[in-house]
Amino acid sequence: MTLSHLERCLALLLRALSRVLLALFALVARFSATFGGRGGGPLTVEPPTEPLLLLPGVELARRIRRGQVKSVDVVQAYIDRIQAINPVVNALVKDRYDAALQEAMQVDRMVSEGEEDEKTLQEKVPFLGVPCTIKEAFAVHGMPNSSGLLARRNIISSTDAIVVSRIKQAGAIPLGVTNCSELCMWYESSNNVYGRTRNPYNTQRIVGGSSGGEGCILGAAGSVIGVGSDIGGSIRMPAFFNGVFGHKPTTGVVPNDGQFPIAVGPRIEYMCTGPMCRYAEDLDPWLRVMAGTGINKLKLDEEVEMRGIKFYSMEHDGGSIFVSPVDQELRETQRRVVDYLQTDLGVEVQNVEIKKMRYSFQIWSALMSSKGADGQPPQSFTDLLSDHGKEVWPVWELLKWPLGLSVHTLPAIGLALTERFTALNESGNEKMRSLAQTLQTELMNLLGNDGVLLYPSHPRVAPKHHLPLGVPFNFAYTGIFNIFGFPVTQCPLGLGKEGLPVGIQVVANHFNDHLTLAVARYLEKAFGGWAVPGAS
């Protein structure tokens, strides 16, 4: 299959537009850096020294239930850590420290009274007294819920999203909410409400998006478990850039209700809420809490025999004209994983070449713009920017932006513009929707119920701030799996040559989340998982 002439023209146009926007932003950023910008070389956060910060969530819960450690001490340790690192990384945008400490005291009182035994507590409140953080896009009672949109900066949630309610019922204690990109549709977490979040391994690098604040606070040891959402990689990219675990569940397992913006129409099938954790052993129990009865759709209680898994590996998408080539360092990292699997398990990892994967961006874009069952197009990003207020004109916002007169970020303006270009290519979109069906069938037949695919989480390690504007479609490496509804776990594999996290995606067929989670635990033991920032 070859790209049509129109598609090639569109690709060239979008590439040219992204280069112009990047040059424009770099020029303005140079001036803005003179006034209040962070000068000097790259910074990293200091490594944590409090031992409580280096325990998985399930271990903290176990010690709290047994009275071996007080929840108040754990919560206070994390508050102290956030207060130390947040001025550097700007990940937590609103705290609820006083309420968290009060809730922790209630936990300690309940444990000391001993009305329920340890086993009962584990069943009823598996994360009793464990602090957590939540993406600001989710409704958390008493917390802001702007999703980085300036028009919503004064909105305070009066209720909890379903997943937030469930994690509270499981005993977890939210410390606050974390930063995201404007309207959760860009892979750098920066907005005009809270500013820019910086990578804990190098503050000149991005944290990813849209759950970037969540990935950052976890990677910086300011949280141990968290909540993110993902429609194009918004859990997995931040998890990759910040060296932690992120799981996009099979579609429909965890409810998306209670976040803004909420997916509607066909986009409901692509949106996923899922766990983000510093340690792999927290993924399974945290997912169970978030999913509620939806967990019955999965097979998490099935024992996984690693030698019984069929492993497949694909090092790149085959050469998309829209997406950057995969860094050699990441390809070599993936090969080390393959070599280790073959040596340690004695299995054969089959290298595959799925040629249709090169159309990942076009497929994601076409499906995201698909009409619903009622024949109506999805709500446009431009409409979301207005949030029922004054109508937004993207071209006018672009003209105002260099003068500092637009209330929107440049990525949001650029997305609103490209959305219009994409809508003009309906014949190409229809062809991509057809291609998506054949590619999904091919992948489902390959994976079956006992296979996983190893695939890059992103073509590059965490890039410098603003650079995603020049390569806006690199999210295609994660976004394609949203279209198919597959479960995917991003697994950290330590630090690369620049001291930045490297990692890999593990993909399985529908409802086989237990396979990707088992591989995540295996790879953590083999490659070390999360690496302490600032340790070297």
Side-chain angles (χ1 to χ4, degrees):
M1 179 179 179
T2 60
L3 289 171
S4 68
H5 178 69
L6 178 59
E7 287 171 318
R8 289 187 179 277
C9 290
L10 178 62
L12 292 173
L13 177 63
L14 292 176
R15 278 178 173 242
L17 177 62
S18 66
R19 297 301 192 274
V20 170
L21 292 177
L22 179 58
L24 180 63
F25 192 93
L27 179 63
V28 176
R30 179 174 296 181
F31 286 101
S32 65
T34 308
F35 303 97
R38 296 185 67 89
L43 297 174
T44 181
V45 300
E46 292 295 322
T49 57
E50 166 58 59
L52 290 174
L53 300 177
L54 301 176
L55 296 174
V58 290
E59 178 60 26
L60 287 170
R62 184 179 299 113
R63 297 188 184 190
I64 290 171
R65 287 193 301 269
R66 294 176 177 175
Q68 296 171 342
V69 65
K70 292 186 179 298
S71 174
V72 165
D73 294 335
V74 177
V75 169
Q76 188 62 60
Y78 272 99
I79 291 173
D80 293 343
R81 176 63 177 172
I82 295 173
Q83 289 176 332
I85 62 171
N86 212 49
V88 178
V89 297
N90 188 37
L92 195 87
V93 294
K94 182 64 175 179
D95 71 75
R96 56 185 306 276
Y97 296 154
D98 291 341
L101 287 169
Q102 288 293 325
E103 291 161 11
M105 285 190 285
Q106 293 174 9
V107 168
D108 293 334
R109 189 178 305 115
M110 180 180 68
V111 172
S112 66
E113 291 173 351
E115 293 184 2
E116 295 182 301
D117 59 26
E118 181 185 348
K119 182 179 180 181
T120 301
L121 289 176
Q122 183 175 3
E123 292 174 352
K124 292 175 61 176
V125 279
F127 284 93
L128 181 65
V130 179
C132 66
T133 43
I134 300 164
K135 183 180 183 179
E136 197 260 14
F138 288 87
V140 180
H141 185 270
M143 293 284 101
N145 182 218
S146 70
S147 290
L149 187 63
L150 202 60
R152 291 177 57 90
R153 65 187 180 278
N154 295 322
I155 291 180
I156 304 298
S157 297
S158 59
T159 59
D160 287 327
I162 292 178
V163 292
V164 174
S165 177
R166 287 175 177 174
I167 66 176
K168 286 182 176 180
Q169 291 170 9
I173 300 176
L175 296 176
V177 292
T178 53
N179 205 14
C180 56
S181 53
E182 186 175 12
L183 286 176
C184 301
M185 287 297 285
W186 184 238
Y187 70 95
E188 176 163 12
S189 290
S190 178
N191 57 68
N192 291 332
V193 179
Y194 303 116
R196 186 179 311 281
T197 301
R198 296 172 285 273
N199 194 296
Y201 295 88
N202 183 330
T203 57
Q204 293 183 347
R205 304 292 181 131
I206 73 170
V207 296
S210 60
S211 310
E214 198 59 38
C216 175
I217 201 74
L218 289 163
S223 183
V224 64
I225 46 178
V227 177
S229 54
D230 189 316
I231 200 170
S234 290
I235 286 174
R236 289 158 290 151
M237 283 187 292
F240 170 64
F241 292 144
N242 295 278
V244 298
F245 292 90
H247 181 67
K248 185 200 84 64
T250 297
T251 299
V253 171
V254 180
N256 295 317
D257 309 65
Q259 58 182 301
F260 181 88
I262 187 65
V264 295
R267 294 182 183 179
I268 294 173
E269 300 177 12
Y270 315 135
M271 182 74 168
C272 284
T273 295
M276 300 177 70
C277 305
R278 205 162 359 119
Y279 299 100
E281 65 185 285
D282 287 329
L283 286 172
D284 181 313
W286 196 229
L287 175 60
R288 291 173 188 262
V289 168
M290 295 172 68
T293 57
I295 207 68
N296 296 330
K297 300 177 182 178
L298 304 183
K299 315 167 189 174
L300 297 189
D301 292 327
E302 287 190 11
E303 185 175 350
V304 177
E305 171 54 52
M306 294 298 297
R307 290 181 175 84
I309 296 176
K310 294 178 181 177
F311 289 94
Y312 304 94
S313 177
M314 186 170 173
E315 293 182 1
H316 56 80
D317 66 0
S320 170
I321 63 173
F322 289 93
V323 179
S324 301
V326 176
D327 285 348
Q328 184 63 28
E329 178 183 28
L330 294 176
R331 296 177 69 172
E332 291 173 355
T333 299
Q334 185 162 334
R335 289 169 192 166
R336 285 199 298 273
V337 172
V338 170
D339 290 343
Y340 185 87
L341 289 169
Q342 294 185 147
T343 301
D344 186 61
L345 297 177
V347 299
E348 178 184 358
V349 180
Q350 181 179 342
N351 290 310
V352 294
E353 183 180 355
I354 306 169
K355 295 183 178 180
K356 297 182 183 68
M357 290 291 282
R358 72 182 61 181
Y359 301 107
S360 293
F361 166 69
Q362 297 97 308
I363 289 172
W364 184 91
S365 181
L367 271 293
M368 283 288 288
S369 62
S370 295
K371 296 179 181 179
D374 58 0
Q376 295 298 314
Q379 185 178 18
S380 72
F381 187 73
T382 303
D383 289 340
L384 286 172
L385 286 175
S386 68
D387 191 33
H388 308 294
K390 185 177 179 182
E391 185 175 3
V392 173
W393 296 88
V395 174
W396 178 234
E397 294 300 323
L398 181 61
L399 293 174
K400 292 193 300 181
W401 186 87
L403 303 176
L405 300 177
S406 176
V407 298
H408 300 293
T409 58
L410 186 58
I413 297 169
L415 177 57
L417 288 169
T418 56
E419 181 180 58
R420 305 218 170 167
F421 285 119
T422 303
L424 297 176
N425 187 21
E426 181 53 35
S427 62
N429 288 343
E430 182 58 36
K431 184 164 58 176
M432 288 301 151
R433 287 190 280 268
S434 176
L435 182 63
Q437 294 179 351
T438 60
L439 176 55
Q440 180 172 358
T441 299
E442 182 178 354
L443 285 168
M444 290 174 65
N445 291 337
L446 175 73
L447 295 170
N449 286 318
D450 58 358
V452 298
L453 173 67
L454 307 178
Y455 195 66
S457 301
H458 199 76
R460 298 177 174 177
V461 295
K464 291 184 177 180
H465 295 297
H466 319 310
L467 288 187
L469 287 164
V471 282
F473 311 125
N474 279 355
F475 72 89
Y477 270 82
T478 48
I480 188 62
F481 300 115
N482 291 82
I483 296 303
F484 301 144
F486 293 153
V488 189
T489 307
Q490 136 63 30
C491 302
L493 298 168
L495 304 181
K497 59 186 179 183
E498 296 181 86
L500 296 168
V502 295
I504 197 169
Q505 288 187 99
V506 182
V507 187
N509 209 343
H510 302 118
F511 308 112
N512 286 295
D513 301 54
H514 63 303
L515 297 181
T516 70
L517 296 176
V519 173
R521 293 189 294 270
Y522 174 83
L523 293 179
E524 181 181 45
K525 291 180 180 178
F527 291 87
W530 170 72
V532 177
S536 57

